[in-house]
Amino acid sequence: QVQLMESGGGSVQAGGSLRLSCIASLSFMNMGWFRQAPGKQREGVAAIVGDGRTPYADSVKGRFTISRDNAKNTLYLQMNSLKPEDTAMYYCAASRGRPIAPLSPREYEHWGQGTQVTVSS
């Protein structure tokens, strides 16, 4: 059974930083970070796919960095210059197949339980 476990969420003030981690029980070449704020649809934040692409949502470009440690089956999301609008539940996701649209939640079949990020102004 595939398990994805996120950690690293918390409460920070605007301008602060957090680093999210996601440990996977299996190795995946295609993984991503998504977020969902109350009353809003889940949206893609960043992804890392097998061909080396690392697409980012426009709203986080230049502030967030996705990376991975293949030896540890761990995905990271370094979040800097956080803004109140970044407040959301953040989810890690994985896909066996290479996603055509890496920031689309529909491309991923495995999901973690999420970690809450709250940014205050």
Side-chain angles (χ1 to χ4, degrees):
Q1 183 177 357
V2 176
Q3 290 186 330
L4 302 175
M5 180 72 71
E6 303 97 336
S7 63
S11 297
V12 296
Q13 290 191 329
S17 298
L18 285 173
R19 188 194 196 202
L20 305 184
S21 299
C22 171
I23 299 176
S25 57
L26 297 174
S27 175
F28 289 93
M29 292 302 296
N30 309 297
M31 299 186 74
W33 286 100
F34 297 79
R35 67 186 181 187
Q36 188 167 16
K40 295 188 176 181
Q41 290 188 336
R42 190 169 297 189
E43 63 174 359
V45 175
I48 186 164
V49 296
D51 60 6
R53 288 180 294 155
T54 54
Y56 291 88
D58 288 343
S59 59
V60 306
K61 283 181 181 176
R63 300 188 298 121
F64 291 11
T65 303
I66 190 171
S67 62
R68 67 194 301 164
D69 184 333
N70 291 330
K72 296 180 179 180
N73 286 349
T74 302
L75 182 73
Y76 302 100
L77 184 69
Q78 178 66 44
M79 305 186 295
N80 298 328
S81 302
L82 283 161
K83 304 175 180 181
E85 50 264 43
D86 295 319
T87 295
M89 185 71 79
Y90 282 70
Y91 299 90
C92 169
S95 173
R96 282 295 184 197
R98 183 175 298 176
I100 297 174
L103 295 181
S104 172
R106 291 175 291 183
E107 299 272 10
Y108 296 82
E109 64 268 24
H110 303 291
W111 291 85
Q113 294 299 307
T115 185
Q116 178 68 38
V117 172
T118 302
V119 185
S120 58
S121 58

